[in-house]
Amino acid sequence: MVTRVAMWSGPRNVSTALMRSFGARPDTLVVDEPLYAFYLAATGLDHPGRDDVLAAQPQRWQDVTARLTGPLPGGIGVYYQKHMTHHLLPEVGREWLGELANAYLIRDPAHVVASYAKVRGEPTLADLGYAQQSEIFRAHGGPVVDAADLLRDPAGVLSKLCAALGIGWDPAMLSWAPGPRDTDGVWAPHWYASVEASTGFTAYDPSPARVPDRLRHLVDAAQPYYAELHAHRITA
């Protein structure tokens, strides 16, 4: 039996490091943001490496979800899917989500908005994925990991996450070799410099978030969704 883990995360989180963590397991195959090309094609957004992304992945969500729920190579025990929740546009069918072990990686909206504002000046609530996370959680449930808790105690949180997913805990998840991976998305050269230099999770930084005044309304709008999932988070 293969456990297909769909990890739903917003942007400016530790989602790529968590993908590295699962990728360090010898029984796990990872896939990086498989709905990205669909999202770019559907929205027309001009992200770094757009043409490369569109050429590298299917642009129909139906083709993507067929792969995510379809046959896998032998010897795979865990199929870890790193998803950006904002890629789940309203027109994407939801029935396939019931075939996955859905999980959620959340982060305090103030820190997300402060970080996102540095790379995109005027994000919207839809860009941050909180409402979509709540939608999936309400329909399917599943374990919730707060990025702050994960960075404070990687071993404690990850071991409980594995238990909640019904997979064995493997200490190999705590460290990995530096460098790129064949499974990284083609956008990696634009975004993954820090994770490519890493060998494990970085230490938690308790510094307060500096949110521009013009984006404070986004923090307020996202907070109820964050609080809803935060109440169910795994604690070590």
Side-chain angles (χ1 to χ4, degrees), residues 16 19-20 23 28-33 56-57 177-189 192 195-196:
T16 308
M19 180 177 69
R20 281 286 188 276
T28 298
L29 174 67
V30 304
V31 61
D32 192 7
E33 301 184 29
Q57 295 179 328
R181 302 289 189 275
D182 291 341
T183 49
D184 290 345
V186 295
W187 53 89
Y192 288 2
V195 80
E196 287 179 2

PDB file of all heavy atoms in Angstrom, residues 16 19-20 23 28-33 56-57 177-189 192 195-196:
ATOM      1  N   THR A  16       9.523  23.811   0.899  1.00  0.00           N
ATOM      2  CA  THR A  16      10.555  23.106   0.140  1.00  0.00           C
ATOM      3  C   THR A  16      11.482  22.344   1.071  1.00  0.00           C
ATOM      4  O   THR A  16      11.912  21.226   0.761  1.00  0.00           O
ATOM      5  CB  THR A  16      11.347  24.095  -0.736  1.00  0.00           C
ATOM      6  OG1 THR A  16      10.439  24.861  -1.515  1.00  0.00           O
ATOM      7  CG2 THR A  16      12.280  23.343  -1.678  1.00  0.00           C
ATOM      8  N   MET A  19       9.694  19.234   1.898  1.00  0.00           N
ATOM      9  CA  MET A  19       9.823  18.302   0.782  1.00  0.00           C
ATOM     10  C   MET A  19      11.184  17.613   0.819  1.00  0.00           C
ATOM     11  O   MET A  19      11.289  16.395   0.572  1.00  0.00           O
ATOM     12  CB  MET A  19       9.624  19.024  -0.549  1.00  0.00           C
ATOM     13  CG  MET A  19       9.739  18.117  -1.772  1.00  0.00           C
ATOM     14  SD  MET A  19       9.429  18.968  -3.344  1.00  0.00           S
ATOM     15  CE  MET A  19      10.877  20.030  -3.467  1.00  0.00           C
ATOM     16  N   ARG A  20      12.240  18.358   1.133  1.00  0.00           N
ATOM     17  CA  ARG A  20      13.567  17.757   1.266  1.00  0.00           C
ATOM     18  C   ARG A  20      13.558  16.693   2.363  1.00  0.00           C
ATOM     19  O   ARG A  20      14.170  15.626   2.234  1.00  0.00           O
ATOM     20  CB  ARG A  20      14.606  18.828   1.618  1.00  0.00           C
ATOM     21  CG  ARG A  20      15.098  19.669   0.477  1.00  0.00           C
ATOM     22  CD  ARG A  20      16.048  18.881  -0.435  1.00  0.00           C
ATOM     23  NE  ARG A  20      16.665  19.747  -1.414  1.00  0.00           N
ATOM     24  CZ  ARG A  20      16.137  20.101  -2.570  1.00  0.00           C
ATOM     25  NH1 ARG A  20      14.934  19.638  -2.907  1.00  0.00           N
ATOM     26  NH2 ARG A  20      16.774  20.890  -3.404  1.00  0.00           N
ATOM     27  N   GLY A  23      11.883  13.701   1.103  1.00  0.00           N
ATOM     28  CA  GLY A  23      12.716  13.131   0.056  1.00  0.00           C
ATOM     29  C   GLY A  23      13.922  12.381   0.582  1.00  0.00           C
ATOM     30  O   GLY A  23      14.520  11.578  -0.141  1.00  0.00           O
ATOM     31  N   THR A  28      10.342   6.991  -0.213  1.00  0.00           N
ATOM     32  CA  THR A  28       9.449   8.084  -0.612  1.00  0.00           C
ATOM     33  C   THR A  28       9.830   8.670  -1.967  1.00  0.00           C
ATOM     34  O   THR A  28      11.004   8.938  -2.247  1.00  0.00           O
ATOM     35  CB  THR A  28       9.463   9.192   0.454  1.00  0.00           C
ATOM     36  OG1 THR A  28       8.984   8.655   1.689  1.00  0.00           O
ATOM     37  CG2 THR A  28       8.586  10.366   0.051  1.00  0.00           C
ATOM     38  N   LEU A  29       8.806   8.889  -2.784  1.00  0.00           N
ATOM     39  CA  LEU A  29       8.925   9.634  -4.030  1.00  0.00           C
ATOM     40  C   LEU A  29       8.236  10.974  -3.825  1.00  0.00           C
ATOM     41  O   LEU A  29       7.122  11.026  -3.298  1.00  0.00           O
ATOM     42  CB  LEU A  29       8.243   8.875  -5.171  1.00  0.00           C
ATOM     43  CG  LEU A  29       8.148   9.588  -6.528  1.00  0.00           C
ATOM     44  CD1 LEU A  29       9.531   9.769  -7.142  1.00  0.00           C
ATOM     45  CD2 LEU A  29       7.222   8.800  -7.470  1.00  0.00           C
ATOM     46  N   VAL A  30       8.896  12.074  -4.216  1.00  0.00           N
ATOM     47  CA  VAL A  30       8.300  13.390  -4.049  1.00  0.00           C
ATOM     48  C   VAL A  30       7.995  14.009  -5.411  1.00  0.00           C
ATOM     49  O   VAL A  30       8.646  13.714  -6.413  1.00  0.00           O
ATOM     50  CB  VAL A  30       9.214  14.336  -3.237  1.00  0.00           C
ATOM     51  CG1 VAL A  30       9.566  13.735  -1.886  1.00  0.00           C
ATOM     52  CG2 VAL A  30      10.485  14.685  -3.997  1.00  0.00           C
ATOM     53  N   VAL A  31       6.991  14.878  -5.431  1.00  0.00           N
ATOM     54  CA  VAL A  31       6.668  15.662  -6.621  1.00  0.00           C
ATOM     55  C   VAL A  31       6.478  17.110  -6.162  1.00  0.00           C
ATOM     56  O   VAL A  31       5.874  17.374  -5.126  1.00  0.00           O
ATOM     57  CB  VAL A  31       5.421  15.111  -7.346  1.00  0.00           C
ATOM     58  CG1 VAL A  31       4.177  15.153  -6.467  1.00  0.00           C
ATOM     59  CG2 VAL A  31       5.175  15.869  -8.644  1.00  0.00           C
ATOM     60  N   ASP A  32       7.011  18.022  -6.950  1.00  0.00           N
ATOM     61  CA  ASP A  32       7.115  19.429  -6.569  1.00  0.00           C
ATOM     62  C   ASP A  32       6.082  20.270  -7.316  1.00  0.00           C
ATOM     63  O   ASP A  32       6.181  20.443  -8.534  1.00  0.00           O
ATOM     64  CB  ASP A  32       8.540  19.919  -6.890  1.00  0.00           C
ATOM     65  CG  ASP A  32       8.871  21.265  -6.288  1.00  0.00           C
ATOM     66  OD1 ASP A  32       8.069  21.803  -5.514  1.00  0.00           O
ATOM     67  OD2 ASP A  32       9.967  21.790  -6.601  1.00  0.00           O
ATOM     68  N   GLU A  33       5.079  20.776  -6.589  1.00  0.00           N
ATOM     69  CA  GLU A  33       4.077  21.708  -7.117  1.00  0.00           C
ATOM     70  C   GLU A  33       3.527  21.283  -8.485  1.00  0.00           C
ATOM     71  O   GLU A  33       3.668  21.998  -9.485  1.00  0.00           O
ATOM     72  CB  GLU A  33       4.656  23.123  -7.175  1.00  0.00           C
ATOM     73  CG  GLU A  33       5.101  23.638  -5.816  1.00  0.00           C
ATOM     74  CD  GLU A  33       5.585  25.076  -5.840  1.00  0.00           C
ATOM     75  OE1 GLU A  33       5.117  25.862  -6.693  1.00  0.00           O
ATOM     76  OE2 GLU A  33       6.442  25.425  -4.995  1.00  0.00           O
ATOM     77  N   ALA A  56       7.246  22.139 -18.878  1.00  0.00           N
ATOM     78  CA  ALA A  56       7.687  20.992 -18.077  1.00  0.00           C
ATOM     79  C   ALA A  56       6.548  20.174 -17.484  1.00  0.00           C
ATOM     80  O   ALA A  56       6.758  19.007 -17.114  1.00  0.00           O
ATOM     81  CB  ALA A  56       8.597  21.477 -16.952  1.00  0.00           C
ATOM     82  N   GLN A  57       5.352  20.759 -17.365  1.00  0.00           N
ATOM     83  CA  GLN A  57       4.258  20.086 -16.689  1.00  0.00           C
ATOM     84  C   GLN A  57       2.992  20.111 -17.551  1.00  0.00           C
ATOM     85  O   GLN A  57       2.832  20.988 -18.397  1.00  0.00           O
ATOM     86  CB  GLN A  57       3.933  20.795 -15.359  1.00  0.00           C
ATOM     87  CG  GLN A  57       5.025  20.745 -14.316  1.00  0.00           C
ATOM     88  CD  GLN A  57       4.601  21.506 -13.060  1.00  0.00           C
ATOM     89  OE1 GLN A  57       3.869  22.490 -13.128  1.00  0.00           O
ATOM     90  NE2 GLN A  57       5.060  21.044 -11.911  1.00  0.00           N
ATOM     91  N   ALA A 177      21.513  15.890   2.108  1.00  0.00           N
ATOM     92  CA  ALA A 177      22.685  16.417   1.428  1.00  0.00           C
ATOM     93  C   ALA A 177      22.331  17.740   0.741  1.00  0.00           C
ATOM     94  O   ALA A 177      21.213  17.915   0.256  1.00  0.00           O
ATOM     95  CB  ALA A 177      23.201  15.419   0.398  1.00  0.00           C
ATOM     96  N   PRO A 178      23.255  18.690   0.693  1.00  0.00           N
ATOM     97  CA  PRO A 178      22.975  19.932  -0.023  1.00  0.00           C
ATOM     98  C   PRO A 178      22.908  19.696  -1.524  1.00  0.00           C
ATOM     99  O   PRO A 178      23.281  18.635  -2.020  1.00  0.00           O
ATOM    100  CB  PRO A 178      24.164  20.825   0.349  1.00  0.00           C
ATOM    101  CG  PRO A 178      25.280  19.859   0.634  1.00  0.00           C
ATOM    102  CD  PRO A 178      24.618  18.660   1.256  1.00  0.00           C
ATOM    103  N   GLY A 179      22.432  20.720  -2.228  1.00  0.00           N
ATOM    104  CA  GLY A 179      22.401  20.644  -3.679  1.00  0.00           C
ATOM    105  C   GLY A 179      21.013  20.476  -4.239  1.00  0.00           C
ATOM    106  O   GLY A 179      20.045  20.264  -3.508  1.00  0.00           O
ATOM    107  N   PRO A 180      20.879  20.561  -5.570  1.00  0.00           N
ATOM    108  CA  PRO A 180      19.579  20.398  -6.228  1.00  0.00           C
ATOM    109  C   PRO A 180      19.162  18.935  -6.273  1.00  0.00           C
ATOM    110  O   PRO A 180      19.941  18.029  -5.971  1.00  0.00           O
ATOM    111  CB  PRO A 180      19.831  20.949  -7.626  1.00  0.00           C
ATOM    112  CG  PRO A 180      21.293  20.698  -7.854  1.00  0.00           C
ATOM    113  CD  PRO A 180      21.961  20.874  -6.519  1.00  0.00           C
ATOM    114  N   ARG A 181      17.913  18.700  -6.655  1.00  0.00           N
ATOM    115  CA  ARG A 181      17.380  17.359  -6.832  1.00  0.00           C
ATOM    116  C   ARG A 181      16.724  17.261  -8.207  1.00  0.00           C
ATOM    117  O   ARG A 181      16.169  18.242  -8.715  1.00  0.00           O
ATOM    118  CB  ARG A 181      16.305  17.047  -5.774  1.00  0.00           C
ATOM    119  CG  ARG A 181      16.777  17.153  -4.337  1.00  0.00           C
ATOM    120  CD  ARG A 181      17.725  16.012  -3.977  1.00  0.00           C
ATOM    121  NE  ARG A 181      18.008  16.000  -2.557  1.00  0.00           N
ATOM    122  CZ  ARG A 181      18.958  16.721  -1.959  1.00  0.00           C
ATOM    123  NH1 ARG A 181      19.722  17.536  -2.694  1.00  0.00           N
ATOM    124  NH2 ARG A 181      19.158  16.638  -0.652  1.00  0.00           N
ATOM    125  N   ASP A 182      16.756  16.072  -8.789  1.00  0.00           N
ATOM    126  CA  ASP A 182      16.066  15.855 -10.062  1.00  0.00           C
ATOM    127  C   ASP A 182      14.569  16.092  -9.927  1.00  0.00           C
ATOM    128  O   ASP A 182      13.895  16.410 -10.916  1.00  0.00           O
ATOM    129  CB  ASP A 182      16.317  14.434 -10.568  1.00  0.00           C
ATOM    130  CG  ASP A 182      17.761  14.206 -10.994  1.00  0.00           C
ATOM    131  OD1 ASP A 182      18.470  15.207 -11.238  1.00  0.00           O
ATOM    132  OD2 ASP A 182      18.164  13.033 -11.072  1.00  0.00           O
ATOM    133  N   THR A 183      14.036  15.922  -8.723  1.00  0.00           N
ATOM    134  CA  THR A 183      12.605  16.092  -8.496  1.00  0.00           C
ATOM    135  C   THR A 183      12.204  17.549  -8.261  1.00  0.00           C
ATOM    136  O   THR A 183      11.004  17.847  -8.163  1.00  0.00           O
ATOM    137  CB  THR A 183      12.161  15.239  -7.298  1.00  0.00           C
ATOM    138  OG1 THR A 183      13.062  15.465  -6.198  1.00  0.00           O
ATOM    139  CG2 THR A 183      12.165  13.758  -7.647  1.00  0.00           C
ATOM    140  N   ASP A 184      13.166  18.459  -8.142  1.00  0.00           N
ATOM    141  CA  ASP A 184      12.834  19.876  -7.979  1.00  0.00           C
ATOM    142  C   ASP A 184      12.168  20.404  -9.240  1.00  0.00           C
ATOM    143  O   ASP A 184      12.517  20.007 -10.365  1.00  0.00           O
ATOM    144  CB  ASP A 184      14.097  20.704  -7.720  1.00  0.00           C
ATOM    145  CG  ASP A 184      14.709  20.446  -6.357  1.00  0.00           C
ATOM    146  OD1 ASP A 184      14.042  19.854  -5.493  1.00  0.00           O
ATOM    147  OD2 ASP A 184      15.875  20.856  -6.156  1.00  0.00           O
ATOM    148  N   GLY A 185      11.244  21.327  -9.068  1.00  0.00           N
ATOM    149  CA  GLY A 185      10.635  21.964 -10.216  1.00  0.00           C
ATOM    150  C   GLY A 185      11.647  22.761 -11.022  1.00  0.00           C
ATOM    151  O   GLY A 185      12.703  23.162 -10.505  1.00  0.00           O
ATOM    152  N   VAL A 186      11.327  23.001 -12.290  1.00  0.00           N
ATOM    153  CA  VAL A 186      12.251  23.735 -13.165  1.00  0.00           C
ATOM    154  C   VAL A 186      12.420  25.176 -12.706  1.00  0.00           C
ATOM    155  O   VAL A 186      13.332  25.877 -13.177  1.00  0.00           O
ATOM    156  CB  VAL A 186      11.782  23.705 -14.637  1.00  0.00           C
ATOM    157  CG1 VAL A 186      11.816  22.286 -15.179  1.00  0.00           C
ATOM    158  CG2 VAL A 186      10.399  24.328 -14.790  1.00  0.00           C
ATOM    159  N   TRP A 187      11.573  25.637 -11.784  1.00  0.00           N
ATOM    160  CA  TRP A 187      11.693  26.987 -11.229  1.00  0.00           C
ATOM    161  C   TRP A 187      12.729  27.079 -10.110  1.00  0.00           C
ATOM    162  O   TRP A 187      12.979  28.154  -9.590  1.00  0.00           O
ATOM    163  CB  TRP A 187      10.331  27.437 -10.689  1.00  0.00           C
ATOM    164  CG  TRP A 187       9.731  26.456  -9.733  1.00  0.00           C
ATOM    165  CD1 TRP A 187       9.891  26.391  -8.376  1.00  0.00           C
ATOM    166  CD2 TRP A 187       8.880  25.360 -10.071  1.00  0.00           C
ATOM    167  NE1 TRP A 187       9.201  25.327  -7.857  1.00  0.00           N
ATOM    168  CE2 TRP A 187       8.573  24.687  -8.883  1.00  0.00           C
ATOM    169  CE3 TRP A 187       8.342  24.893 -11.277  1.00  0.00           C
ATOM    170  CZ2 TRP A 187       7.748  23.551  -8.843  1.00  0.00           C
ATOM    171  CZ3 TRP A 187       7.527  23.774 -11.240  1.00  0.00           C
ATOM    172  CH2 TRP A 187       7.242  23.113 -10.043  1.00  0.00           C
ATOM    173  N   ALA A 188      13.326  25.957  -9.750  1.00  0.00           N
ATOM    174  CA  ALA A 188      14.276  25.931  -8.637  1.00  0.00           C
ATOM    175  C   ALA A 188      15.384  26.976  -8.749  1.00  0.00           C
ATOM    176  O   ALA A 188      15.735  27.608  -7.745  1.00  0.00           O
ATOM    177  CB  ALA A 188      14.870  24.532  -8.486  1.00  0.00           C
ATOM    178  N   PRO A 189      15.979  27.200  -9.943  1.00  0.00           N
ATOM    179  CA  PRO A 189      17.050  28.206 -10.011  1.00  0.00           C
ATOM    180  C   PRO A 189      16.610  29.607  -9.587  1.00  0.00           C
ATOM    181  O   PRO A 189      17.451  30.433  -9.192  1.00  0.00           O
ATOM    182  CB  PRO A 189      17.450  28.180 -11.489  1.00  0.00           C
ATOM    183  CG  PRO A 189      17.097  26.804 -11.958  1.00  0.00           C
ATOM    184  CD  PRO A 189      15.838  26.476 -11.219  1.00  0.00           C
ATOM    185  N   TYR A 192      15.249  28.415  -5.101  1.00  0.00           N
ATOM    186  CA  TYR A 192      15.686  27.389  -4.168  1.00  0.00           C
ATOM    187  C   TYR A 192      17.137  27.522  -3.700  1.00  0.00           C
ATOM    188  O   TYR A 192      17.704  26.571  -3.176  1.00  0.00           O
ATOM    189  CB  TYR A 192      15.494  26.000  -4.795  1.00  0.00           C
ATOM    190  CG  TYR A 192      14.059  25.539  -4.903  1.00  0.00           C
ATOM    191  CD1 TYR A 192      12.999  26.349  -4.506  1.00  0.00           C
ATOM    192  CD2 TYR A 192      13.753  24.278  -5.410  1.00  0.00           C
ATOM    193  CE1 TYR A 192      11.690  25.933  -4.626  1.00  0.00           C
ATOM    194  CE2 TYR A 192      12.437  23.849  -5.523  1.00  0.00           C
ATOM    195  CZ  TYR A 192      11.417  24.680  -5.139  1.00  0.00           C
ATOM    196  OH  TYR A 192      10.119  24.259  -5.266  1.00  0.00           O
ATOM    197  N   VAL A 195      17.527  26.600   0.080  1.00  0.00           N
ATOM    198  CA  VAL A 195      17.309  25.198   0.421  1.00  0.00           C
ATOM    199  C   VAL A 195      18.381  24.314  -0.218  1.00  0.00           C
ATOM    200  O   VAL A 195      18.764  23.286   0.354  1.00  0.00           O
ATOM    201  CB  VAL A 195      15.891  24.738   0.024  1.00  0.00           C
ATOM    202  CG1 VAL A 195      15.783  24.419  -1.455  1.00  0.00           C
ATOM    203  CG2 VAL A 195      15.447  23.538   0.862  1.00  0.00           C
ATOM    204  N   GLU A 196      18.896  24.712  -1.366  1.00  0.00           N
ATOM    205  CA  GLU A 196      19.974  23.934  -1.983  1.00  0.00           C
ATOM    206  C   GLU A 196      21.258  24.000  -1.156  1.00  0.00           C
ATOM    207  O   GLU A 196      22.080  23.085  -1.203  1.00  0.00           O
ATOM    208  CB  GLU A 196      20.237  24.423  -3.402  1.00  0.00           C
ATOM    209  CG  GLU A 196      19.144  24.014  -4.386  1.00  0.00           C
ATOM    210  CD  GLU A 196      19.390  24.533  -5.792  1.00  0.00           C
ATOM    211  OE1 GLU A 196      20.443  25.177  -6.016  1.00  0.00           O
ATOM    212  OE2 GLU A 196      18.527  24.306  -6.670  1.00  0.00           O
TER     213      GLU A 196
END
